Amino acid sequence: MKVRLEDKIAYIIAVVNEFAARFALNPQQAYRYLDRFKGIDFVDEFYNVEHTQSFDDVVDDLALLCRKNGGALA
């Protein structure tokens, strides 16, 4: 099934906002953090799987991945 770019972008924006809320960041800070520690790349690459999970699970996945890549948010 072909993924619509608009759907993927909307999903990534929603994930960034959920991540920001979890870690008390504004969306710009969350995006920069996720971009720096490869979270955005992860969501983009694994969109087909990640979008079937709850936002809580996706944020947990991203927090773990970013920590493995040098991020400091817990």
Side-chain angles (χ1 to χ4, degrees):
M1 176 181 223
K2 185 170 169 115
V3 175
R4 289 185 37 209
L5 182 59
E6 295 85 4
D7 293 340
K8 188 183 272 192
I9 291 169
Y11 179 75
I12 291 172
I13 290 169
V15 167
V16 168
N17 287 327
E18 291 291 328
F19 190 90
R22 164 90 62 93
F23 292 104
L25 303 170
N26 68 48
Q28 293 82 7
Q29 291 170 317
Y31 177 83
R32 286 193 301 270
Y33 179 85
L34 290 170
D35 187 47
R36 178 176 180 193
F37 297 110
K38 308 299 182 209
I40 297 296
D41 293 340
F42 177 82
V43 174
D44 183 36
E45 184 176 349
F46 296 105
Y47 169 79
N48 289 334
V49 174
E50 290 296 310
H51 87 279
T52 65
Q53 306 298 315
S54 71
F55 281 116
D56 283 338
D57 288 342
V58 173
V59 171
D60 289 344
D61 291 347
L62 288 172
L64 179 62
L65 174 79
C66 290
R67 276 193 300 276
K68 286 183 179 182
N69 288 324
L73 293 177

